[in-house]
Amino acid sequence: MAGTDSRDKGNYQDDTAIWSGLSGLSEAQRSELAAGVAPRVVDHLDQCLEWVATEWSAGRVWDDQESDAIEWANQLHAYQYVLRREFEEALNRDLRTTSYPPEYDFSGTRYAGGDSALQVLDDYQSTRRSLRHKLEGVIREHNRYSYYMFQQAAREEHRFEHPGWAPWSPLHWYERVIEAAERQFGRTAMTLDLIRAYVKCMGRTGAPMLAFVVETIDECGLVTEPPRSPEAHESESVPQQRASWAHYTAGSQSRSASESTAGGDPAALGLGAAGSSGTREMPSPDADPTAWAQWARALVQAQGLPASSPHAAGVPAGAGGAGGERVDPESAEFSRESLTPFILDLLQGMFDHIFRQVGFNSRVRAAIADMQFSLARVVIRDLSFFRDRSHPLRLWIGSLINTGVRVSPDDQAEGNDAIEAYLQHIQESVNRLRHEADSMDREAAQALLGDWLAAIEEEDARWQEQQDPHIDPLRQEERAARARRSLTICVLETGAELPERSAEQIAEAWEDLLAADGDSAERLDQVVKDVAKAICNRATPREVNPMVQRIVATAREAGVSEERVKAVVQHLGQAHLQRIRASGDEPRFDPQERIRARRSVRFEDDDPDLLADQDDAYVFEASRVQVGDWFEFIDKATGETQRMALVWRGEATRRFLFLSLDGVTSRRHSLQGVAHEMREGRMRALPRDNPLDAMIR
């Protein structure tokens, strides 16, 4: 971390002109930041100091060397109020100042004068810098959501060259805490031990405070984009695979110990070159059938998988040697056709393993079992199936399984159109494989995959559309929350006083226009924001009217009804008129009240035990859940499981709506509620990758 004193005046070219610090914020925004952030951060520091004093009084320190801990505790008690006051004054000043960059008494990356080499640091300075790096690591590891929100707020609008300079950053607080400590105790072992304790305290008890600070900077309009991990390089069009079959077994609560394999590691199945020791490596696709038979038999025997019987599922009566009678691989008569029972054994073992990992509905399981003989018949003609992850038949199986797993094991299809539709697609696709098995080549397998994916995509869209009656009230809530939040930010940004009646009229107009879709909604949002700011700034009708006409034109292009357009114009006209005619004693819209009165949002199905906001990896994961993701929920009271998809999430309301495939069971959670269910192990994402890829290496 560097401040103004960290720049080598002779060699450093000042390029701070592009960085604005807090100068781009209105005085109202900076005041609200100070009012929201400083008290919570200072209170947490106070708690940390109390804890440190208690630990020192008991003779416990974090320095490896012998120390007079009790004397340190006495000194801390004597100067605790002074430390708090100096820290509070510095933080309030930092949250209100428009100067850039911030000034620090010390920087661990200060440059030596006259050359570009880093200055040699003494032990104290090195330890000080090391502790700062440790604090950053603690926040990044345990408070990822806050970490990326803080970074996003610092980077937007070119506010801070280094995110750690932002006054809402724990790294900035670190500098102010140690500066205050050094003024009281000097650059001593006591100061360093105090900072060690502060870093530890931040990791132990800082999550609720950090969560509150995040809400404050968000409500003040400093974050317009969702937080994104800098390590994430995936395209937005590529779904993030946050749940994998490779790790699903290890987290399963329903397996018995006898069903687990090597602690849940699918590689222990011994499939492929990466399997367990003592198993054969997978042959090349053009290898002799004997090598493939020996490989398949070795894997089945190594794992104790049951051999198929002549009457195994999907084996037609009279299949003879193809399904039951085995030709010895060492025999001269052994051929590619003779591979069928060996490959069938292997496929059955693989599917049985998948069935054990997560419960399947009986009809889905029967359909998958019914295809195994036909699948074996196709595979023996194209053994690249086992090596090629992009093989269409392998992709088809993965999608088939991941679709079937959405049906909860206890769901009954009878009388439910949604479940019946998916089961019918599964059965039809399986029947197609069975009918074409003897002639299916790679091209036919590609056609099977393409038709299946198209059918499921269409069914998914139809199912999502059918959920609109559940979603429409939530959309209305979201529009109202977004309108109110946007208006709050506008008033904060302008620093103007707005009559409460005008604010209500603007919010209603904004809410109506947010019903538009896509790019039109974004353009309408911007033009309404321009009108709202103009009204706040007491613009004349001549100045406002062209903006309103732009709203009308954009709304009509977006297909907004004439009735709604007319209502929007009336609302904005009334808001402007009331703003112009407002008397001095008329109630004013108070944006700060919305933030001061903010309480943790809780929804219907949140755990009643969820009392305090947290900020940990689970909150970050909850924030990344996307519409269309499927999860298995465990009811806290009954222990029953139910699979549901996220069909709606609101950014302003932080509301999540999950629905089961049959549309009967639903859950409504807040962001913190979702994180809590994950934290307690009662909510797990269903795997989305290919289960065969997790087993075949």
Side-chain angles (χ1 to χ4, degrees), residues 444-550:
Q446 186 65 54
L448 174 69
L449 171 65
D451 291 345
W452 160 260
L453 292 178
I456 291 304
E457 182 179 358
E458 182 179 344
E459 196 61 51
D460 286 347
R462 184 183 298 112
W463 183 79
Q464 180 73 28
E465 185 178 345
Q466 291 171 349
Q467 312 316 318
D468 280 348
H470 299 280
I471 297 172
D472 282 341
L474 304 184
R475 291 192 179 111
Q476 181 66 27
E477 275 186 42
E478 176 71 9
R479 288 194 292 269
R482 283 182 58 193
R484 177 65 62 165
R485 180 179 182 273
S486 297
L487 178 61
T488 298
I489 293 171
C490 279
V491 175
L492 281 173
E493 288 177 342
T494 60
E497 288 190 350
L498 189 66
E500 180 67 36
R501 292 189 300 160
S502 293
E504 291 299 327
Q505 294 285 353
I506 294 173
E508 287 190 34
W510 216 324
E511 185 178 336
D512 282 341
L513 290 175
L514 285 174
D517 296 324
D519 294 340
S520 298
E522 293 183 10
R523 286 186 286 129
L524 283 169
D525 190 55
Q526 184 57 52
V527 290
V528 175
K529 186 179 296 184
D530 293 340
V531 171
K533 287 186 176 181
I535 293 174
C536 287
N537 289 326
R538 294 183 178 276
T540 65
R542 179 176 294 182
E543 294 170 321
V544 173
N545 286 341
M547 300 180 188
V548 175
Q549 290 307 312
R550 283 201 299 273

Side-chain angles (χ1 to χ4, degrees), residues 463-464 466-475 477 603-606 625-631 633 644-650 653-660 663-671 674 683:
W463 183 79
Q464 180 73 28
Q466 291 171 349
Q467 312 316 318
D468 280 348
H470 299 280
I471 297 172
D472 282 341
L474 304 184
R475 291 192 179 111
E477 275 186 42
F603 293 126
E604 295 93 318
D605 296 305
D606 286 345
V625 172
Q626 300 172 5
V627 170
D629 289 349
W630 282 82
F631 299 87
F633 289 87
M644 288 181 264
L646 178 66
V647 296
W648 165 259
R649 63 169 294 176
T653 58
R654 304 284 180 86
R655 182 184 281 271
F656 292 70
L657 173 64
F658 300 88
L659 276 175
S660 59
V664 174
T665 307
S666 65
R667 277 179 177 253
R668 291 167 173 81
H669 284 292
S670 65
L671 174 67
V674 171
M683 175 182 174

Side-chain angles (χ1 to χ4, degrees), residues 174-191:
Y174 174 94
E175 294 294 331
R176 296 310 186 213
V177 170
I178 199 167
E179 286 173 359
E182 287 177 349
R183 284 193 289 273
Q184 305 306 320
F185 312 123
R187 295 186 174 184
T188 62
M190 174 183 173
T191 296

Side-chain angles (χ1 to χ4, degrees), residues 258-269:
S258 62
E259 291 175 331
S260 64
T261 56
D265 182 6
L269 278 175

Side-chain angles (χ1 to χ4, degrees), residues 32 36-37 40 211-220 591-601 613:
E32 188 50 46
V37 172
R40 291 298 291 262
F212 185 90
V213 174
V214 164
E215 291 295 327
T216 301
I217 64 174
D218 188 33
E219 290 291 339
C220 287
Q592 297 182 9
E593 181 182 355
R594 168 184 167 85
I595 303 173
R596 284 196 301 267
R598 183 179 58 250
R599 57 185 175 83
S600 297
V601 177
D613 284 340

Side-chain angles (χ1 to χ4, degrees), residues 224-251:
T224 58
E225 299 288 338
R228 298 180 63 185
S229 166
E231 297 96 341
H233 300 295
E234 300 94 350
S235 166
E236 289 294 329
S237 62
V238 179
Q240 298 177 8
Q241 299 293 347
R242 293 184 300 277
S244 171
W245 286 94
H247 305 104
Y248 202 77
T249 303

Side-chain angles (χ1 to χ4, degrees), residues 4-69:
T4 53
D5 65 335
S6 70
R7 304 179 183 278
D8 178 358
K9 301 300 184 182
N11 299 323
Y12 188 88
Q13 182 178 357
D14 187 3
D15 60 353
T16 60
I18 65 171
W19 308 103
S20 63
L22 300 185
S23 62
L25 305 183
S26 70
E27 183 179 348
Q29 281 176 297
R30 296 195 300 272
S31 296
E32 188 50 46
L33 276 176
V37 172
R40 291 298 291 262
V41 177
V42 173
D43 285 348
H44 180 257
L45 173 64
D46 226 13
Q47 296 171 18
C48 291
L49 295 178
E50 289 285 353
W51 173 66
V52 175
T54 302
E55 293 293 298
W56 282 349
S57 297
R60 291 186 288 268
V61 297
W62 290 269
D63 191 356
D64 294 335
Q65 301 177 0
E66 294 185 7
S67 307
D68 191 352

Side-chain angles (χ1 to χ4, degrees), residues 208-424:
M209 177 270 294
L210 293 173
F212 185 90
V213 174
V214 164
E215 291 295 327
T216 301
I217 64 174
D218 188 33
E219 290 291 339
C220 287
L222 274 63
V223 178
T224 58
E225 299 288 338
R228 298 180 63 185
S229 166
E231 297 96 341
H233 300 295
E234 300 94 350
S235 166
E236 289 294 329
S237 62
V238 179
Q240 298 177 8
Q241 299 293 347
R242 293 184 300 277
S244 171
W245 286 94
H247 305 104
Y248 202 77
T249 303
S252 175
Q253 299 182 6
S254 59
R255 294 181 312 136
S256 65
S258 62
E259 291 175 331
S260 64
T261 56
D265 182 6
L269 278 175
L271 301 174
S276 58
S277 60
T279 60
R280 297 173 179 269
E281 286 194 11
M282 185 189 301
S284 62
D286 57 353
D288 290 337
T290 297
W292 278 97
Q294 291 172 341
W295 171 77
R297 184 168 61 180
L299 298 185
V300 171
Q301 291 174 348
Q303 298 304 319
L305 302 175
S308 61
S309 69
H311 305 291
V315 180
E325 296 179 12
R326 297 164 185 267
V327 179
D328 188 340
E330 305 298 330
S331 169
E333 292 81 22
F334 195 83
S335 64
R336 181 67 67 103
E337 189 73 13
S338 305
L339 268 177
T340 302
F342 296 92
I343 297 300
L344 180 59
D345 282 349
L346 181 56
L347 292 174
Q348 285 185 330
M350 290 164 57
F351 284 116
D352 285 345
H353 177 74
I354 293 170
F355 293 150
R356 289 198 301 270
Q357 291 202 73
V358 57
F360 275 75
N361 184 274
S362 59
R363 287 185 59 181
V364 175
R365 181 166 181 160
I368 294 175
D370 199 35
M371 73 175 181
Q372 292 172 17
F373 176 75
S374 301
L375 179 62
R377 298 286 295 160
V378 177
V379 167
I380 63 170
R381 297 196 304 274
D382 185 4
L383 291 167
S384 64
F385 169 87
F386 290 105
R387 281 188 173 273
D388 185 2
R389 291 191 172 205
S390 64
H391 194 290
L393 206 55
R394 187 157 155 175
L395 296 176
W396 172 75
I397 292 172
S399 180
L400 193 79
I401 290 173
N402 289 340
T403 300
V405 83
R406 302 175 186 175
V407 186
S408 294
D410 298 329
D411 283 348
Q412 301 298 319
E414 290 78 6
N416 187 272
D417 294 339
I419 295 181
E420 190 62 57
Y422 280 97
L423 290 176
Q424 184 175 349

